[in-house]
Amino acid sequence: MGIERRVVGELSAKISRVKYQTIITAGKHSIIADEPLADGGDDTGMSPYNLLLASLASCTVITLRMYIDRKMWVVDEIKIDLELVRNDHGVIIENKLEFKGDITQEQKKRLVVIANGCPIHKILTGEILINTSL
């Protein structure tokens, strides 16, 4: 009996001769990735680092919204600010959450636990295997 395989994301990316500008397509959606001017790109889209952070940020706030809605808590807005920092020991993602609404400090502490349980967070903090082929 094999391990169950379930595709949860799928996309393609193309780059032509426009220096570093990459068109990323998933289904009927497309975005542009690029490098900043300081790194030789034209800054026509988010950098790959920021796209990684965007994935974590969107997954986190969606997970929090789902939980808050199930609990019927009054939260009008969830904001997340992320910063990716490289140092001699590796990479650290600093994650700051803010909530606008009528919630207690205890509820906010619970939401931090829920945020750390979003699927993208689990992927980034777990073991990742990347198979590259032709």
Side-chain angles (χ1 to χ4, degrees):
M1 194 178 257
I3 296 173
E4 181 184 337
R5 184 175 185 274
R6 185 174 75 112
V7 176
V8 295
E10 187 174 38
L11 61 77
S12 64
K14 289 192 306 192
I15 190 168
S16 61
R17 292 184 176 261
V18 177
K19 198 163 189 178
Y20 308 135
Q21 185 184 71
T22 304
I23 308 301
I24 302 164
T25 305
K28 62 181 180 177
H29 307 284
S30 294
I31 58 173
I32 295 172
D34 199 350
E35 290 292 335
L37 294 171
D39 292 334
D42 286 328
D43 200 24
T44 60
M46 283 192 261
S47 73
Y49 291 118
N50 284 335
L51 286 170
L52 177 71
L53 292 178
S55 181
L56 177 59
S58 61
C59 183
T60 300
V61 297
I62 290 168
T63 299
L64 289 169
R65 175 51 65 196
M66 289 175 174
Y67 184 83
I68 287 166
D69 289 350
R70 270 196 315 274
K71 293 290 187 176
M72 292 188 283
W73 294 349
V74 180
V75 176
D76 299 318
E77 184 178 310
I78 307 161
K79 183 179 181 217
I80 187 169
D81 291 313
L82 297 175
E83 184 176 59
L84 193 144
V85 179
R86 297 180 93 168
N87 61 30
D88 294 339
H89 303 291
V91 175
I92 299 169
I93 296 175
E94 299 287 345
N95 180 349
K96 183 172 175 24
L97 292 168
E98 292 179 40
F99 302 97
K100 288 185 182 175
D102 186 24
I103 60 173
T104 66
Q105 198 62 33
E106 186 175 306
Q107 288 170 321
K108 288 179 184 179
K109 287 180 184 176
R110 178 68 183 141
L111 291 174
V112 168
V113 173
I114 298 302
N116 289 335
C118 92
I120 298 298
H121 185 280
K122 288 180 180 179
I123 288 170
L124 292 174
T125 58
E127 185 176 329
I128 299 174
L129 177 62
I130 300 174
N131 294 320
T132 303
S133 63
L134 294 175

